[in-house]
Amino acid sequence: MPLCFNTAADYLQAAREMAVSGRSTLARLLAEEAADRTPDPGEAARILREFHGPSLRQEN
């Protein structure tokens, strides 16, 4: 079954899986997406603290 990302929780779970498998860059990007989809700014900040490092996004 293909993975489906619909919620912040989906992105956060994927970020944690990527972190465990050593894919820290992908984990950070997924965590940033989870934080963006989280309506509570405090919770969004907590998510980003869990996945250290600067933003790796390239905005257009």
Side-chain angles (χ1 to χ4, degrees):
M1 175 178 234
L3 294 177
C4 189
F5 295 92
N6 294 319
T7 67
D10 295 334
Y11 283 93
L12 187 55
Q13 179 61 35
R16 289 180 176 140
E17 290 175 13
M18 292 302 106
V20 167
S21 68
R23 297 180 180 124
S24 59
T25 300
L26 183 53
R28 175 62 191 200
L29 289 169
L30 288 162
E32 288 177 7
E33 188 62 34
D36 286 350
R37 292 169 180 263
T38 301
D40 177 9
E43 181 64 11
R46 187 201 63 74
I47 290 169
L48 293 177
R49 280 193 307 272
E50 185 178 338
F51 298 89
H52 308 290
S55 177
L56 301 168
R57 291 182 175 178
Q58 293 182 358
E59 302 293 332
N60 291 337

